[in-house]
Amino acid sequence: EEAQTQQKLANVVILATGGTIAGAGASAANSATYQAAKLGVDKLIAGVPELAELANVRGEQVMQIASESITNDDLLKLGKRVAELADSKDVDGIVITHGTDTLEETAYFLNLVEKTDKPIVVVGSMRPGTAMSADGMLNLYNAVAVASDKQSRGKGVLVTLNDEIQSGRDVSKAVNIKTEAFKSAWGPMGMVVEGKSYWFRLPAKRHTADSEFDIKQISSLPQVDIAYSYGNVSDTAYKALAQSGAKAIIHAGTGNGSVSSRVVPALQELHKNGVQIIRSSHVNQGGFVLRNAEQPDDKYDWVVAHDLNPQKARILAMVAMTKTQDSKELQRIFWEY
Ligand SMILES: NC(=O)CC[C@H](N)C(=O)O
């Protein structure tokens, strides 16, 4: 009988990378003061015995770090392992446990480069497992539920926290400390409650199987950096980033992605020297940057990031620039993904 249930259940692999979901604090009162990336994947799985009712689950420790320390090489390593598993007949879905600080970057990266319809779910938590009202157990349970569900196929990389199913493209950490931390300007795609998924919308942008990018063809990512804008800003950061080898600079602009008159000449100069300038906005609840609004992008040959926040724009620019250095192609890609 046990063999029969195992046959019916989906096979889900949990790739663990660290973060608070694998964190531990000194006391149950420590919801914010703790060390991330302490528990191994086997302990995470053992901590939620109910996972066995949802799927045949096995774990792999890909790395054990706090996600603010993730590098481009780490992204490639994780991406390549996900692709290998997605190609395996024995794997129906993949869950990635991840720190929440850069979870939105990794989820978007995988959404762009994994050529598969199989569910890929990235999950984290806001409180370590040692804390009162820890959220990791339920978030992981929900992630495995979504990853083992056939309905989740072909919907792009997904993120499950706070009972919501979010698009890995759109979602961003908008709040810290609180468990209701991840938001999307366009709303969640669905809910997951007691191991069952309820879907309400689909992503409109190209992703995964429909993407022109393939992790198997990518061996390195170009240097793309972000410069933050504010009153009295100078061009120092932009010049320094270009000097250090940035192939593109994401302008984390004020408001509509506006650029200070103190910075415009330096950006024109950098672009003449081959650095792509990509305008985004650092407003918190959904930037929306349009070409030739506030700045003459056609005249300067700049690119706009549209609704992508600066950190997501960095991910797309890196992936796109593995294929093209042409600003018009880059802009096409920024509209489509
Ligand atoms: N809630 C979290 O996961 C944050 C912990 C850590 N800063 C990380 O991103 O890994």
Side-chain angles (χ1 to χ4, degrees):
E1 203 177 311
E2 200 187 308
Q4 252 178 6
T5 17
Q6 272 179 1
Q7 262 175 14
K8 265 194 288 176
L9 291 177
N11 297 324
V12 171
V13 180
I14 300 182
L15 298 179
T17 71
T20 297
I21 195 163
S27 106
N30 285 129
S31 59
T33 308
Y34 56 84
Q35 277 190 289
K38 296 306 282 179
L39 251 65
V41 66
D42 294 337
K43 285 240 168 70
L44 286 187
I45 293 171
V48 195
E50 293 78 5
L51 294 180
E53 292 158 24
L54 296 172
N56 302 312
V57 170
R58 68 176 177 86
E60 280 178 33
Q61 195 75 46
V62 180
M63 55 194 111
Q64 183 66 300
I65 55 178
S67 70
E68 62 273 22
S69 300
I70 281 186
T71 63
N72 288 347
D73 285 343
D74 293 330
L75 278 183
L76 291 176
K77 180 181 171 192
L78 176 66
K80 286 182 187 292
R81 186 63 190 134
V82 169
E84 280 168 11
L85 291 168
D87 278 347
S88 160
K89 277 207 309 270
D90 307 329
V91 176
D92 299 305
I94 298 155
V95 168
I96 296 141
T97 60
H98 201 289
T100 54
D101 288 4
T102 63
L103 188 152
E104 66 199 79
E105 298 181 32
T106 298
Y108 188 38
F109 177 72
L110 299 174
N111 192 62
L112 294 170
V113 300
E114 300 296 337
K115 303 286 288 176
T116 180
D117 275 338
K118 291 184 184 173
I120 300 168
V121 184
V122 191
V123 64
S125 77
M126 296 305 293
R127 297 176 183 146
T130 47
M132 288 186 264
S133 264
D135 54 332
M137 248 181 115
L138 180 56
N139 289 347
L140 182 60
Y141 182 77
N142 285 343
V144 170
V146 171
S148 57
D149 186 348
K150 283 204 174 70
Q151 280 193 89
S152 308
R153 293 176 66 97
K155 292 184 167 73
V157 171
L158 305 166
V159 171
T160 55
L161 281 98
N162 204 40
D163 300 348
E164 290 173 337
I165 308 169
Q166 297 272 7
S167 154
R169 176 196 184 272
D170 298 340
V171 79
S172 184
K173 189 176 190 178
V175 177
N176 66 331
I177 301 283
K178 297 179 185 176
T179 52
E180 191 186 351
F182 280 73
K183 314 261 185 201
S184 153
W186 315 121
M189 290 165 71
M191 292 275 291
V192 50
V193 181
E194 296 186 342
K196 191 171 166 5
S197 307
Y198 302 87
W199 292 94
F200 298 97
R201 28 183 136 255
L202 294 172
K205 300 288 185 173
R206 291 176 69 180
H207 60 76
T208 55
D210 181 41
S211 173
E212 71 202 78
F213 309 107
D214 183 346
I215 186 73
K216 289 178 208 151
Q217 320 283 312
I218 301 177
S219 53
S220 70
L221 293 166
Q223 183 184 337
V224 176
D225 289 304
I226 303 172
Y228 202 91
S229 213
Y230 46 89
N232 204 51
V233 67
S234 80
D235 57 17
T236 309
Y238 300 85
K239 286 180 177 163
L241 291 172
Q243 185 80 44
S244 82
K247 301 287 181 283
I249 295 176
I250 309 297
H251 168 71
T254 39
N256 298 338
S258 50
V259 186
S260 164
S261 57
R262 294 158 59 91
V263 169
V264 170
L267 295 195
Q268 287 175 295
E269 184 64 25
L270 294 180
H271 187 52
K272 239 185 259 150
N273 298 331
V275 179
Q276 296 289 349
I277 305 299
I278 303 174
R279 286 199 303 126
S280 72
S281 169
H282 67 56
V283 298
N284 288 322
Q285 296 284 320
F288 201 87
V289 181
L290 289 171
R291 277 194 79 78
N292 304 315
E294 295 251 4
Q295 288 293 327
D297 297 295
D298 286 350
K299 184 171 148 206
Y300 294 164
D301 193 33
W302 292 349
V303 174
V304 298
H306 199 35
D307 71 321
L308 294 177
N309 68 21
Q311 55 273 30
K312 299 239 185 207
R314 184 188 76 96
I315 295 291
L316 181 56
M318 288 194 303
V319 170
M321 289 174 82
T322 62
K323 279 209 161 176
T324 182
Q325 312 307 312
D326 179 71
S327 58
K328 295 205 172 47
E329 257 299 272
L330 280 178
Q331 186 64 73
R332 188 227 3 123
I333 289 165
F334 268 85
W335 293 131
E336 288 183 14
Y337 292 84

